Amino acid sequence: MEFKKRILCIGAGYVGGPTMAVIALKCPEYRVDVVDINQERINAWNSDDLPIFEPGLLEIVKERRGKNLFFSTNTEENITKADIIFVSVNTPTKTFGEGAGMASDLQYWEATAHQIVKHAQSDKIIVEKSTLPVRTAEAMERILKMHSGNIKFEVISNPEFLSEGTAIKDLLEADRVLIGAHDTKEGNSASQEITDIYRHWIPEERIITTNLWSSELSKLIANAFLAQRISSINSISALCEKTDADISEIAHAIGSDSRIGNKFLQTSVGFGGSCFKKDILNLVYIAKSYGLYEVADYWESVVTMNEYQKSRFVRKIIKEMFNTVAGKKITLFGFAFKANTGDTRESPAIDITKALLDENVRVTIHDPKAIENAKIDLKGIDGNITYETDPYKAAANSNALVIATEWDQFKDLDYSQIYKSMEKPAFIFDGRNLLDHKKLFGIGFNVYPTGKQQLTHFS
Ligand code: UDX
Ligand code: UDX
């Protein structure tokens, strides 16, 4: 079949894979190739056991794979043939040199730009899909223009706003699609070509076009604002625990104001995930690099508050268990950074586990999907850790349960049976306010919610 255009995506990860699957589904007249340097990942994309779990993804991949959706490691040939190249390689926080721990490590991005120049034989639109520091496109353009001869590259920013677990829904029913381009004839025409892709299923009014720098920066700011709401509510949860105000009641009361809105007001043990911390630290680094120290400090405090919430939670566990936790068994229900994913990147459970191990606690970890990743995260860490797929076995003989992830299935467990199997006094520290605290208290547990009055049997 003759295709109208060829789209290539470099990087078959959490972002590239689902995004391209949906584009292939909605634009059957385009050929979509997804390439990656990791052969194993590509093999998985070509099987029924995809490398990432997202509800609805497998069905779409199965429908389009081999028709207009192709996964391979054949980067060079695909660069040569592509009209539009999305770049979705990872941009982790730098671990070395200038900006270590804050700035984005752009080595994969730069290597990709060099590879594109080397193999391109015709004009191309290059789309930044990875989250990048503002003005990255400028550096990319320099590399692309350096050796391009007569070939023209137009760099466009089209950031992703996918949330893990709902990536397909976020793509199909996007609140908005953001496309940033230079305000030149070439820039506007490239922006139109990318808009044409999304027009296949996104209503026109939800496609926002901006200048290149606004688009790049908007992605960082969207994540910074979301994370800021969580740090704000978490900071108030600490105050609630001192004053007997109730954080859920406050979240409901303030969230009912349409100017504030009710989303991202759920208190927690702290936010995790691959993006929030990385993107905020990147924003902090950028602000500092322009000498905007007050701006940098303001946003850094969002991360500081998140670290405080995690350490405050562990301090509470230790204090409430009579300041003697060494040798006791504490079981974590949940290790993923949020429910409905096996992803544990930056999960607060990692820090909680490490802090408990430092206190010589015997830690047992139970999670419906994240045990394998937990093992990788905690590899080489000294201490007594066990992993248990059965929640009842995990809880048996524990002194305390810690709810670290808000998995729905934790709500349906038989807590009377669990209580009977535990050491007494039995404690529950609910870092997600997931469970029915009054009911647990009635069973006999000493219950420590987050940002709410504790329910204990001690006089
Ligand atoms: C990544 C970035 O981390 C995020 O900031 C951005 O918004 C989108 O891209 P994600 O898709 O979650 O997010 O990353 P990951 O799952 O690690 O996928 C990146 C893929 O790129 C990996 O499969 C990796 O093998 C591949 N890659 C990396 C290449 O194909 N070539 C490279 O040179 C480097
Ligand atoms: C986030 C953004 O939502 C998404 O738009 C962006 O593209 C990538 O980063 P993700 O990391 O998948 O997505 O998860 P998200 O649902 O935003 O949750 C992030 C963290 O915040 C989780 O640890 C979650 O448990 C926590 N959270 C979320 C809260 O603690 N309280 C809330 O009210 C909401």
Side-chain angles (χ1 to χ4, degrees):
M1 174 182 165
E2 264 305 296
F3 290 103
K4 190 174 156 196
K5 284 247 151 77
R6 286 183 74 129
I7 295 175
L8 168 65
C9 175
I10 304 180
Y14 281 91
V15 172
T19 307
M20 292 304 124
V22 168
I23 291 180
L25 177 74
K26 294 293 181 182
C27 311
E29 76 276 28
Y30 291 96
R31 179 183 162 117
V32 181
D33 283 275
V34 189
V35 297
D36 202 289
I37 44 171
N38 183 338
Q39 180 71 55
E40 227 176 289
R41 235 182 195 194
I42 290 300
N43 293 346
W45 279 111
N46 281 320
S47 76
D48 285 350
D49 189 14
L50 301 185
I52 59 172
F53 171 74
E54 279 296 338
L57 176 62
L58 180 62
E59 291 76 7
I60 296 176
V61 169
K62 277 170 112 169
E63 193 179 325
R64 300 315 308 167
R65 199 169 49 197
K67 296 193 181 101
N68 68 331
L69 177 65
F70 302 88
F71 296 94
S72 75
T73 51
N74 199 350
T75 307
E76 285 84 7
E77 188 192 330
N78 278 306
I79 288 175
T80 309
K81 292 183 175 164
D83 303 292
I84 301 168
I85 303 180
F86 285 81
V87 183
S88 181
V89 299
N90 37 338
T91 49
T93 302
K94 258 183 105 176
T95 52
F96 52 87
E98 173 80 18
M102 286 214 166
S104 273
D105 182 351
L106 295 176
Q107 60 169 314
Y108 305 120
W109 237 100
E110 183 171 343
T112 304
H114 284 292
Q115 212 179 7
I116 293 173
V117 181
K118 194 166 164 206
H119 299 284
Q121 291 166 14
S122 58
D123 296 354
K124 297 188 194 300
I125 298 173
I126 312 296
V127 188
E128 299 177 338
K129 204 43 153 165
S130 307
T131 304
L132 296 162
V134 60
R135 297 200 82 88
T136 300
E138 197 173 37
M140 287 307 125
E141 281 164 354
R142 271 194 220 128
I143 295 171
L144 293 168
K145 279 179 185 152
M146 218 159 37
H147 309 288
S148 57
N150 292 331
I151 301 171
K152 292 203 179 63
F153 295 103
E154 193 61 34
V155 179
I156 296 281
S157 161
N158 171 221
E160 50 89 12
F161 298 103
L162 308 180
S163 175
E164 276 177 44
T166 55
I168 298 299
K169 189 171 170 285
D170 296 340
L171 282 159
L172 291 173
E173 299 161 25
D175 285 343
R176 65 4 193 138
V177 166
L178 182 57
I179 300 171
H182 288 303
D183 190 12
T184 57
K185 188 165 150 273
E186 295 78 12
N188 290 329
S189 145
S191 172
Q192 271 309 311
E193 281 212 43
I194 306 306
T195 304
D196 283 346
I197 297 175
Y198 290 104
R199 244 191 226 123
H200 283 73
W201 77 98
I202 303 286
E204 192 77 36
E205 65 276 12
R206 291 200 193 166
I207 303 179
I208 302 173
T209 50
T210 66
N211 84 32
L212 200 45
W213 319 126
S214 307
S215 173
E216 284 183 340
L217 193 52
S218 292
K219 172 58 210 264
L220 290 184
I221 304 310
N223 275 350
F225 268 62
L226 290 170
Q228 180 212 44
R229 284 175 71 94
I230 302 169
S231 277
S232 295
I233 202 79
N234 282 344
S235 74
I236 303 306
S237 76
L239 190 55
C240 285
E241 286 170 31
K242 297 283 183 203
T243 57
D244 288 348
D246 183 305
I247 199 67
S248 304
E249 290 177 354
I250 291 180
H252 179 64
I254 65 167
S256 303
D257 183 331
S258 61
R259 293 170 303 174
I260 296 175
N262 60 9
K263 298 202 177 118
F264 273 70
L265 285 180
Q266 173 65 41
T267 193
S268 62
V269 272
F271 59 74
S274 66
C275 287
F276 281 178
K277 188 174 169 191
K278 169 177 78 101
D279 290 352
I280 294 172
L281 292 180
N282 189 209
L283 176 62
V284 169
Y285 182 74
I286 291 167
K288 276 189 188 155
S289 72
Y290 289 107
L292 302 173
Y293 298 105
E294 288 78 2
V295 177
D297 290 348
Y298 176 73
W299 287 105
E300 193 162 14
S301 73
V302 173
V303 175
T304 308
M305 182 53 61
N306 199 47
E307 298 303 319
Y308 167 75
Q309 186 74 347
K310 291 186 272 186
S311 58
R312 188 173 81 79
F313 185 69
V314 175
R315 280 200 306 276
K316 178 164 68 182
I317 295 174
I318 297 168
K319 175 173 164 274
E320 299 301 342
M321 293 178 78
F322 322 117
N323 284 311
T324 55
V325 286
K328 290 182 177 166
K329 176 179 171 184
I330 297 183
T331 294
L332 259 66
F333 273 6
F335 201 86
F337 82 96
K338 65 177 187 182
N340 305 316
T341 175
D343 194 345
T344 59
R345 288 180 288 177
E346 297 292 341
S347 178
I350 301 173
D351 290 338
I352 294 168
T353 305
K354 285 182 181 166
L356 292 175
L357 290 172
D358 280 345
E359 296 290 332
N360 289 334
V361 170
R362 293 179 292 130
V363 179
T364 296
I365 291 165
H366 164 73
D367 189 288
K369 278 209 186 283
I371 286 189
E372 289 315 309
N373 278 333
K375 286 181 186 167
I376 296 168
D377 295 327
L378 299 171
K379 203 171 162 204
I381 307 258
D382 277 346
N384 190 330
I385 318 175
T386 47
Y387 302 91
E388 179 52 65
T389 50
D390 180 327
Y392 294 99
K393 284 188 190 154
N397 305 115
S398 298
N399 299 84
L401 296 182
V402 166
I403 312 299
T405 312
E406 72 284 19
W407 284 103
D408 256 347
Q409 48 264 63
F410 295 160
K411 289 196 247 180
D412 302 328
L413 298 173
D414 179 347
Y415 283 94
S416 297
Q417 187 188 331
I418 288 176
Y419 179 74
K420 280 190 204 124
S421 75
M422 285 176 64
E423 296 292 327
K424 308 295 176 318
F427 295 81
I428 288 197
F429 296 92
D430 189 347
R432 298 282 186 169
N433 288 343
L434 178 76
L435 304 178
D436 182 338
H437 300 141
K438 281 199 180 120
K439 195 169 158 196
L440 293 170
F441 176 68
I443 293 171
F445 283 103
N446 298 297
V447 188
Y448 298 84
T450 303
K452 290 170 187 277
Q453 217 175 354
Q454 58 196 43
L455 303 170
T456 74
H457 298 280
F458 306 119
S459 49

